[in-house]
Amino acid sequence: MVTVEDVKIIELPKFLDARGNLSFAEQLNHIPFEIKRTYWIYDVPGGEARGGHAFRENQEFIVALSGAFDVVVDDGENKKVFTLNRSYYGLYIPQCLWRTMENFSTNSLALEFGSEHFDEEDYVREYGDFLKLKKDGKI
Ligand code: TYD
């Protein structure tokens, strides 16, 4: 069963340069899956939280391209909080974990890579349903 211990911060390459810094991420290298989708979250008003849900199949890789925010992951038994505040760190989140994004700083920009195309059926949006699916070993 997937647990919060499977969530990993991955340090990305960085080329520090007086002209400006550069980082990159490659699929099946730094990002441990094939990327089928990219999306980004921006203009988050102060105090808002996003992403209270789990995915059955979709794995994610999240980068704070700008600013900072917290990603809270929860496997039904344990929770962990990861603060992303550098654009050369990515957070790998396997499928079947509840995750929420919160404490967005002003002008923060979250870039997310997904292993699956968008599919509403892949979401578990009720925390009670998530706990039951976990307890029954269905996700
Ligand atoms: P959602 O995943 O619920 O946002 P968050 O996890 O940040 O709270 O997505 C919000 C809306 O955007 C939802 O109606 C579905 C739509 N959406 C897509 O159509 N395609 C996508 O790739 C994503 C991530 C969301």
Side-chain angles (χ1 to χ4, degrees):
M1 186 155 55
V2 178
T3 77
V4 292
E5 299 307 319
D6 299 309
V7 178
K8 303 275 180 234
I9 288 271
I10 294 168
E11 185 163 358
L12 300 170
K14 58 177 187 290
F15 289 87
L16 303 181
D17 191 311
R19 300 170 302 157
N21 303 332
L22 180 150
S23 287
F24 64 91
E26 295 177 347
Q27 67 176 354
L28 299 178
N29 185 359
H30 317 94
I31 299 177
F33 53 78
E34 285 190 28
I35 299 161
K36 289 207 180 132
R37 183 160 58 114
T38 305
Y39 51 100
W40 45 98
I41 294 172
Y42 52 96
D43 291 348
V44 179
E48 287 292 343
R50 305 252 356 176
H53 53 67
F55 293 115
R56 296 165 192 270
E57 298 286 338
N58 189 49
Q59 303 168 64
E60 292 176 284
F61 188 88
I62 305 179
V63 181
L65 277 190
S66 176
F69 50 84
D70 293 334
V71 183
V72 185
V73 290
D74 176 345
D75 58 22
E77 291 190 353
N78 293 296
K79 285 186 189 187
K80 261 188 165 181
V81 181
F82 293 88
T83 298
L84 295 180
N85 56 10
R86 293 281 182 271
S87 55
Y88 52 84
Y89 282 117
L91 185 68
Y92 168 65
I93 309 180
Q95 68 284 5
C96 302
L97 292 172
W98 190 265
R99 101 303 185 268
T100 307
M101 298 165 70
E102 55 193 40
N103 293 328
F104 286 89
S105 69
T106 305
N107 288 331
S108 56
L109 171 58
L111 179 64
E112 309 201 17
F113 300 93
S115 67
E116 308 299 325
H117 293 130
F118 176 75
D119 176 8
E120 187 59 43
E121 296 294 303
D122 193 44
Y123 283 76
V124 181
R125 290 201 181 267
E126 295 294 331
Y127 189 65
D129 295 345
F130 171 73
L131 290 179
K132 181 150 187 357
L133 287 164
K134 274 289 198 197
K135 189 164 142 272
D136 297 345
K138 291 192 175 149
I139 61 169

